[in-house]
């Protein structure tokens, strides 16, 4: 408007008006952000259950006690069989503060079929327990996941069906489980770095329901997440990628019902021949997990968890052969 | 006597129509429980063989001895 008046009057328009007149028409749909953020094309957020995945990968390695031997044999690019032997103690969860360890030994046979559209993973143990996972891409955006643990004892089996839908900048998931468990969650990208999510679940048999909220802020170097649930749990985590090989993570969890707070701090070194993860806890637990690549396809594993408060010392070693 | 019999027959028919929905709901529940139990047993025994069969028929087809040999 100002520029047309100035054109008619013949004097040269002020440089700011020209700049605005040229810049305004193409940017009518987007806000004029200094960093040129494209608010209509935000990236797709991570799935809701993986919102804390960097922190979990660094702070919760699969610690074990005893001997573990895994052999994976690939018959095909997509099909492989796995044989696994474990001899050691497994912890049985108990109400008292004493840890209750049961010495176990089992052989586990597994078969994996991994296709881009269909993934089938099955593991069966010597006592008859079956662990089955199915992931099927029904369409480009809709995925069906099934997770089941079947046992020979009646009423101990569990199964869960998940339907995931991935939109352009959101993801939503609907879960159906046994014991009449229904859950749903939704996560949306608010900005290129921030995503917010919410979840709700309902347990049919116990008539319990809950709602939770989560937020995740990540850049190239840091990931900060926070989760609050109506079950009285608050969980925060912070991961900093110090360099290509080193990342540090810290985690805080507070349970309002049991007035219990735990915080832990850990590191994750990903080096050429090995991966070393260590963690220190406010419960007096110090843990470390080392995976060393001895040769192509042969990995040596050492696991240690020292609980000073409960005087529980767990050391494990193992070998993983195969990809 | 005929009227008693017809009355009894009408009562029975009345009770039957009232509880037919409950009966059909019970039937559906029983059959779905039976179906879930059978599905659980079938999955328990057949899931791993199903993966093996799908894998052995995928391209490139692996040989049968490769299933058992550790090489």
């Amino acid at each position: 408007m100002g520029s047309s008046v100035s054109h008619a009057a013949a004097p040269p328009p002020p440089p700011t008006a020209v700049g605005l007149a040229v810049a305004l028409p193409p940017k009518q749909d987007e806000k004029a952000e200094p960093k040129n953020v494209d608010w209509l094309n935000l990236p797709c957020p991570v799935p809701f259950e993986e919102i804390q995945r960097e922190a979990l990968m660094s702070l919760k390695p699969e610690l074990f006690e005893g001997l573990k031997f895994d052999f994976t044999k690939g018959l095909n690019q997509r099909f492989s069989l796995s044989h696994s032997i474990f001899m050691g103690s497994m912890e049985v969860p108990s109400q008292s503060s004493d840890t209750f360890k049961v010495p176990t030994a089992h052989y586990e046979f597994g078969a994996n079929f991994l296709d881009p559209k269909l993934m089938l993973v099955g593991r069966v143990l010597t006592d008859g327990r079956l662990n089955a996972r199915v992931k099927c891409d029904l369409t480009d955006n809709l995925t069906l996941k099934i997770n089941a643990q079947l046992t020979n004892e009646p009423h101990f089996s569990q199964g869960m069906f998940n339907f995931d839908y991935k939109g352009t900048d959101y993801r939503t998931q609907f879960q159906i489980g046994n014991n009449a468990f229904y859950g749903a969650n939704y996560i949306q990208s608010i900005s290129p770095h921030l995503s917010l999510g919410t979840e709700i679940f309902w347990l049919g048999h116990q008539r319990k329901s809950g709602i939770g909220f989560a937020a995740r802020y990540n850049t190239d170097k840091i990931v900060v997440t926070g989760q609050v649930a109506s079950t009285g749990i608050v969980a925060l985590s912070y991961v900093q990628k110090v360099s290509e090989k080193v990342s540090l993570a810290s985690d805080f969890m507070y349970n309002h019902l049991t007035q219990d707070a735990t915080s832990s701090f850990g590191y994750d070194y990903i080096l050429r021949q090995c991966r070393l993860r260590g963690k220190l806890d406010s419960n007096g637990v110090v843990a470390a997990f080392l995976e060393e690549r001895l040769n192509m396809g042969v990995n040596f594993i050492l696991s240690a968890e020292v609980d000073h408060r409960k005087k529980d010392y767990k050391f494990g070693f193992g070998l993983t052969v195969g990809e | 006597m005929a009227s008693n019999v017809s009355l009894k027959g009408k009562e029975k028919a009345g009770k039957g129509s009232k509880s037919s929905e409950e009966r059909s709901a019970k039937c559906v529940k029983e059959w779905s429980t039976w179906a879930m139990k059978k599905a659980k047993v079938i999955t328990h025994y057949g899931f791993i063989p199903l993966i093996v069969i799908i894998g052995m028929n995928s391209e490139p087809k692996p040989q049968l001895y490769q299933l058992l040999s550790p090489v």
Side-chain angles (χ1 to χ4, degrees), chain A residues 73 76 81 128 132 151-152 157, chain B residues 40 44 58 60 66-67 69 71:
Chain A
K73 179 186 156 128
N76 203 342
L81 297 173
T151 59
N152 276 329
S157 309
Chain B
K40 187 220 160 202
H44 204 154
S58 64
Q66 282 179 309
L67 261 183
S69 83
V71 172

Side-chain angles (χ1 to χ4, degrees), chain A residues 304-317:
Chain A
E305 186 181 357
V306 172
D307 190 339
H308 290 288
R309 200 175 286 181
K310 293 186 197 168
K311 304 233 184 288
D312 179 23
Y313 313 112
K314 297 201 277 211
F315 297 95
F317 64 99

Side-chain angles (χ1 to χ4, degrees), chain A residues 71 73 76 79 81 109 111 113 120-123 128 130 132 134 151-152 157, chain B residues 40 43-44 47-48 51-52 54-56 58-60 62 66-67 69-71:
Chain A
F71 173 59
K73 179 186 156 128
N76 203 342
F79 178 51
L81 297 173
F109 173 72
F113 179 74
L120 299 167
V121 171
R123 298 262 180 280
L130 172 73
V134 175
T151 59
N152 276 329
S157 309
Chain B
K40 187 220 160 202
T43 316
H44 204 154
F47 190 69
I48 300 252
I51 303 182
V52 173
I54 293 181
M56 294 300 279
S58 64
E59 293 302 324
Q66 282 179 309
L67 261 183
S69 83
V71 172

Side-chain angles (χ1 to χ4, degrees), chain A residues 276-294:
Chain A
L276 175 62
R277 286 177 266 187
K279 131 181 137 163
L280 172 63
D281 216 342
S282 68
N283 290 333
V285 175
V286 181
F289 192 79
L290 168 73
E291 289 158 285
E292 169 108 20
R293 203 186 85 153
L294 298 178

Side-chain angles (χ1 to χ4, degrees), chain A:
Chain A
M1 291 164 289
S3 52
S4 60
V5 165
S6 54
H7 272 300
T16 49
V18 168
L20 270 176
V22 167
L24 265 174
K27 271 200 178 177
Q28 264 165 12
D29 294 336
E30 303 162 10
K31 290 187 210 168
E33 285 284 313
K35 291 177 205 161
N36 285 338
V37 171
D38 188 357
W39 292 97
L40 296 178
N41 281 331
L42 291 173
C44 202
V46 297
F48 190 88
E49 61 264 13
E50 288 180 28
I51 208 168
Q52 288 196 335
R53 85 174 149 203
E54 282 87 1
L56 289 175
M57 278 198 319
S58 297
L59 291 172
K60 294 194 171 39
E62 286 174 5
L63 302 163
F64 59 95
E65 176 172 20
L67 163 76
K68 190 163 153 177
F69 178 73
D70 274 327
F71 173 59
T72 306
K73 179 186 156 128
L75 278 85
N76 203 342
Q77 207 182 10
R78 302 183 211 155
F79 178 51
S80 58
L81 297 173
S82 83
H83 306 265
S84 166
I85 293 179
F86 176 77
M87 291 189 228
S89 312
M90 300 251 277
E91 274 209 11
V92 174
S94 69
Q95 258 66 25
S96 63
S97 63
D98 299 329
T99 49
F100 199 52
K101 286 199 220 183
V102 173
T104 54
H106 59 70
Y107 162 73
E108 182 186 69
F109 173 72
N112 312 330
F113 179 74
L114 302 146
D115 201 37
K117 290 218 162 188
L118 173 67
M119 180 188 94
L120 299 167
V121 171
R123 298 262 180 280
V124 68
L125 284 122
T126 40
D127 51 11
R129 273 185 291 162
L130 172 73
N131 248 335
R133 284 197 321 175
V134 175
K135 178 175 142 301
C136 179
D137 287 343
L138 300 172
T139 72
D140 265 344
N141 291 334
L142 185 62
T143 305
L144 164 66
K145 287 199 258 195
I146 305 176
N147 227 331
Q149 277 103 38
L150 303 177
T151 59
N152 276 329
E153 299 143 31
H155 302 299
F156 272 85
S157 309
Q158 296 172 351
M160 180 95 86
F161 285 76
N162 299 343
F163 292 93
D164 296 357
Y165 183 77
K166 182 172 85 154
T168 44
D169 58 358
Y170 66 91
R171 278 191 210 247
T172 171
Q173 183 185 66
F174 183 61
Q175 298 171 312
I176 304 176
N178 73 332
N179 288 339
F181 171 82
Y182 300 97
N185 60 49
Y186 177 77
I187 181 165
Q188 164 93 47
S189 274
I190 307 290
S191 90
H193 300 297
L194 179 64
S195 46
L196 301 177
T198 172
E199 74 168 337
I200 183 168
F201 70 87
W202 188 63
L203 276 163
H205 287 189
Q206 294 159 14
R207 297 275 190 269
K208 261 202 277 197
S209 69
I211 188 166
F213 298 98
R216 177 184 158 108
Y217 179 81
N218 69 337
T219 63
D220 288 336
K221 296 248 163 190
I222 67 170
V223 175
V224 185
T225 69
Q227 256 185 309
V228 180
S230 72
T231 48
I233 294 187
V234 175
L236 311 167
S237 81
Y238 176 76
V239 178
Q240 166 110 29
K241 192 168 158 184
V242 172
S243 79
E244 279 298 317
K245 302 187 181 183
V246 180
S247 62
L248 302 173
S250 70
D251 169 273
F252 172 75
M253 201 184 79
Y254 171 63
N255 190 339
H256 187 68
L257 298 172
T258 61
Q259 296 281 316
D260 207 15
T262 306
S263 77
S264 62
F265 168 73
Y267 60 87
D268 190 352
Y269 288 155
I270 305 182
L271 306 172
R272 238 180 329 134
Q273 302 280 65
C274 78
R275 180 171 185 186
L276 175 62
R277 286 177 266 187
K279 131 181 137 163
L280 172 63
D281 216 342
S282 68
N283 290 333
V285 175
V286 181
F289 192 79
L290 168 73
E291 289 158 285
E292 169 108 20
R293 203 186 85 153
L294 298 178
N295 204 349
M296 176 70 192
V298 181
N299 282 349
F300 178 60
I301 307 178
L302 284 176
S303 151
E305 186 181 357
V306 172
D307 190 339
H308 290 288
R309 200 175 286 181
K310 293 186 197 168
K311 304 233 184 288
D312 179 23
Y313 313 112
K314 297 201 277 211
F315 297 95
F317 64 99
L319 200 65
T320 303
V321 181
E323 307 82 41

